[in-house]
Amino acid sequence: MFEVMFKELRELLRDRKTLFFVIALPIVIFPVLFAFVFFLTSKAALEAEQKVHTYFVVNEDYAPAFSDTLFYHRSFKRYQGEAQLDSVSALRDAVRQGIIDVGIYIPAAPDKQLALGEQSRFQVVFNDAQSINYIYSRIKKVIDTYSAKLTEQALSELGVDTDKQDAVLQPVLMEKVDTADRRENIGEKIGAFIPYMLIPLVLMGASYPAIDLGAGEKERGTLETLLLTPLTRTQLVLGKFLTILLSSIACALVTVSSMSIWIGLASGFGALDPILSAFASVTQWDFLLIFALLLPVAMMLSSLVLAISIYARSFKEAQNYMGPLSMLVFVPIVVSVLPNMTLNAKTAWIPITNVALAIKEIVKGTVDYQAVGMIFLASILLAAALLACCVRWFSREEVLFR
């Protein structure tokens, strides 16, 4: 069994393609890709924040104070064209044609409406389909400020002192007292996304060697020679399985190590200080526990991809099977981030979902070690069952030579 494993490892180390996907890709490509996406997102957000929007107010003489505020606002400039904009439909057409960015229709004078005990409804026309859009929030802030001034004037006319107006408008204030610490708060938000990186990488680290050790052997014609050796089918499968398992774990370890180095470099610029300070209490035992939870997952996925590779007639067919499998692995990870999904006696038996939930709880610092024990038991039992199926699959001649 170990002779087969060492033989397969030597062949994998000679395969540049496999080394690229297991070592080079996690070290270089993923961090660079994440940094590139972060750069593009930050650039788009900065451009959206600095953009000056063209606006037009219909009936601006009804609210001169509001119009003046918009006119002197650094993020808005008044439309100076000759288009006839006098209704909501005209504003809508102008926004669609790109003549203006936002139009505001004021139906009546707000101060007069307030004196009559009625509300004035400003209609804001803009395109909200853009991914990063600050128009509505900025207009709302100006309208809220203008509305607050009207409220202050109305209360003053009613004889309410200025220092008492806040209490009249909001008699009861709600003060938030959070029992969760900083680590738990950030861990709830970030810990759910860590499995999105680790578990697919475990699968990726197992897929490429498995395709080569199963379907690749068939294409090269070396499978028959391997079967003539004085080894049982179980020993052959276990040797290949251990090779794939080591590759899978190595890919995850390399990726996490690479990401930690990049995070450490980024922390020098101060961008990640809040997150790093929150994770300062994550101990080495917590990291070891996360990797320990990944081990049975790697065993399950290694057995599964090896069985698929043995069944496939060719290298290309095996690759076609790996695509849907990659998509299916994301389903239980998505389930783990659904609302009200917590680690308990029931979810501890759901494959992959249980590990994703446990990783999040570990990052939060609220992990239940009894549930972790159940996860180990469930994952190891499933991995053993899949490995047994893989051995049985490898023992069937019609599968090996189909």
Side-chain angles (χ1 to χ4, degrees):
M1 178 180 69
F2 291 105
E3 292 179 359
V4 175
M5 182 187 72
F6 292 136
K7 170 252 183 189
E8 301 293 0
L9 283 175
R10 285 193 297 269
E11 291 185 358
L12 285 180
L13 292 175
R14 299 190 188 106
D15 187 359
R16 295 182 179 179
K17 183 179 179 181
T18 303
L19 290 177
F20 173 78
F21 282 105
V22 175
I23 299 177
L25 188 65
I27 290 178
V28 179
I29 301 298
F30 283 132
V32 172
L33 179 62
F34 294 153
F36 182 67
V37 172
F38 177 76
F39 169 74
L40 291 180
T41 304
S42 302
K43 184 179 179 181
L46 182 61
E47 290 178 352
E49 185 177 358
Q50 294 179 345
K51 183 179 180 180
V52 178
H53 305 285
T54 303
Y55 77 93
F56 186 82
V57 179
V58 180
N59 301 325
E60 62 180 359
D61 54 323
Y62 288 164
F66 171 76
S67 301
D68 291 342
T69 303
L70 270 184
F71 182 79
Y72 292 107
H73 199 287
R74 64 182 182 88
S75 299
F76 295 100
K77 63 178 180 179
R78 194 178 189 279
Y79 172 66
Q80 301 294 339
E82 299 179 355
Q84 188 69 22
L85 305 177
D86 54 2
S87 64
V88 174
S89 59
L91 292 175
R92 186 183 296 111
D93 293 337
V95 170
R96 288 175 177 173
Q97 296 172 14
I99 298 175
I100 60 175
D101 296 319
V102 57
I104 304 169
Y105 181 79
I106 304 177
D111 52 350
K112 295 181 179 179
Q113 294 291 104
L114 183 59
L116 297 174
E118 298 178 356
Q119 291 179 316
S120 182
R121 188 180 300 274
F122 287 19
Q123 292 182 269
V124 182
V125 182
F126 71 105
N127 185 358
D128 198 24
Q130 300 176 4
S131 57
I132 303 177
N133 199 330
Y134 294 104
I135 295 178
Y136 183 77
S137 60
R138 288 169 176 169
I139 292 290
K140 184 178 184 301
K141 186 175 181 180
V142 175
I143 292 177
D144 289 343
T145 303
Y146 175 68
S147 180
K149 291 181 179 179
L150 291 177
T151 303
E152 182 180 351
Q153 293 176 3
L155 290 176
S156 298
E157 292 176 359
L158 293 174
V160 180
D161 295 337
T162 304
D163 56 349
K164 296 181 179 179
Q165 290 182 5
D166 290 339
V168 173
L169 293 173
Q170 194 171 6
V172 179
L173 291 176
M174 183 177 67
E175 183 178 351
K176 181 180 178 181
V177 180
D178 193 357
T179 59
D181 56 16
R182 188 182 185 88
R183 173 181 173 181
E184 188 174 348
N185 279 324
I186 298 181
E188 177 66 27
K189 300 175 180 65
I190 299 179
F193 294 98
I194 293 179
Y196 277 96
M197 179 185 69
L198 294 180
I199 296 177
L201 285 173
V202 170
L203 175 61
M204 187 186 74
S207 298
Y208 291 98
I211 294 174
D212 185 70
L213 298 183
E217 293 266 17
K218 289 184 178 181
E219 283 196 349
R220 293 191 298 269
T222 57
L223 182 61
E224 292 85 349
T225 304
L226 189 62
L227 293 174
L228 293 176
T229 58
L231 295 172
T232 64
R233 299 291 176 89
T234 301
Q235 290 174 325
L236 290 176
V237 172
L238 290 178
K240 292 178 177 293
F241 167 76
L242 290 176
T243 304
I244 298 170
L245 180 62
L246 288 175
S247 174
S248 176
I249 294 298
C251 183
L253 287 173
V254 168
T255 303
V256 174
S257 301
S258 175
M259 292 301 296
S260 64
I261 293 174
W262 282 89
I263 290 175
L265 293 175
S267 64
F269 298 96
L272 300 177
D273 285 346
I275 297 177
L276 293 176
S277 63
F279 282 93
S281 56
V282 180
T283 63
Q284 294 182 353
W285 164 252
D286 294 327
F287 287 112
L288 289 175
L289 186 57
I290 290 175
F291 285 114
L293 286 169
L294 290 177
L295 183 59
V297 174
M299 294 172 63
M300 288 188 296
L301 297 178
S302 298
S303 301
L304 187 58
V305 295
L306 180 58
I308 292 174
S309 181
I310 292 171
Y311 175 79
R313 292 187 180 93
S314 62
F315 199 95
K316 184 177 181 180
E317 182 180 348
Q319 286 181 321
N320 293 335
Y321 292 145
M322 296 303 172
L325 178 61
S326 300
M327 296 301 297
L328 289 175
V329 169
F330 276 101
V331 174
I333 302 177
V334 172
V335 172
S336 67
V337 298
L338 293 177
N340 298 325
M341 281 296 295
T342 57
L343 184 61
N344 52 44
K346 294 182 179 179
T347 56
W349 293 92
I350 304 176
I352 299 181
T353 299
N354 51 11
V355 174
L357 290 172
I359 291 175
K360 181 175 70 172
E361 296 296 328
I362 291 172
V363 175
K364 289 171 57 179
T366 58
V367 64
D368 182 1
Y369 292 101
Q370 184 177 359
V372 171
M374 296 174 63
I375 292 174
F376 274 113
L377 178 61
S379 300
I380 291 175
L381 288 177
L382 182 57
L386 289 173
L387 185 59
C389 293
C390 189
V391 173
R392 183 176 180 83
W393 203 250
F394 197 79
S395 301
R396 299 175 61 180
E397 301 292 337
E398 62 271 20
V399 174
L400 291 178
F401 302 104
R402 59 186 292 271

